[in-house]
Amino acid sequence: MSDNAIDLEELSGAETLESAELRSKAAEIKKIDPFIIFNDYHVYLEPIHHEGYSMVRCMFHDDETPSMKVYFDKKHQKYLFYCYSEQRTWDVIDVLVQKGRYRDWE
């Protein structure tokens, strides 16, 4: 695994953590290109790249045509995933934790 490898067990509750160090680490992870992170966990999204964003098949529903946009949100300084079908937004930690498959990727 690369230097960007994540201890997801440690960060799975990052939103409620009282540790400033872990919140800081979570904020830094959210700035890392999600394709690097997912490749570390052997999840290949097969992105279709466009200028400023990529489209992938949504991981939360059957998706024949990519409906999930992956982009860097400059205002919040993190990568976000937006599914047009579900009309919902996630960050990289949300995706890894909510998908509940991170144990399979280790």
Side-chain angles (χ1 to χ4, degrees):
M1 242 182 247
S2 74
D3 292 337
N4 296 325
I6 304 168
D7 181 351
L8 291 171
E9 293 289 336
E10 181 181 0
L11 292 174
S12 63
E15 295 171 345
T16 59
L17 291 174
E18 298 196 7
S19 167
E21 182 179 327
L22 286 179
R23 281 196 305 275
S24 175
K25 185 175 180 181
E28 289 303 312
I29 288 168
K30 292 176 184 182
K31 293 179 185 178
I32 298 170
D33 184 330
F35 297 108
I36 293 171
I37 293 171
F38 288 133
N39 284 343
D40 281 347
Y41 290 93
H42 310 290
V43 176
Y44 305 103
L45 298 177
E46 300 177 21
I48 300 170
H49 296 289
H50 300 278
E51 189 172 329
Y53 67 96
S54 298
M55 295 296 293
V56 298
R57 290 187 175 109
C58 184
M59 296 161 274
F60 297 100
H61 62 86
D62 290 334
D63 206 2
E64 291 182 25
T65 303
S67 67
M68 182 174 275
K69 179 179 180 179
V70 181
Y71 64 100
F72 188 76
D73 180 356
K74 292 178 184 176
K75 179 180 178 183
H76 296 101
Q77 290 294 297
K78 63 182 177 179
Y79 278 92
L80 294 174
F81 296 77
Y82 177 77
C83 178
Y84 287 97
S85 296
E86 296 193 21
Q87 298 183 356
R88 189 165 172 201
T89 302
W90 298 269
D91 64 32
V92 68
I93 293 175
D94 294 335
V95 170
L96 290 171
V97 171
Q98 285 188 355
K99 190 62 178 157
R101 290 180 41 204
Y102 60 85
R103 288 184 183 92
D104 297 337
W105 301 340
E106 295 180 324

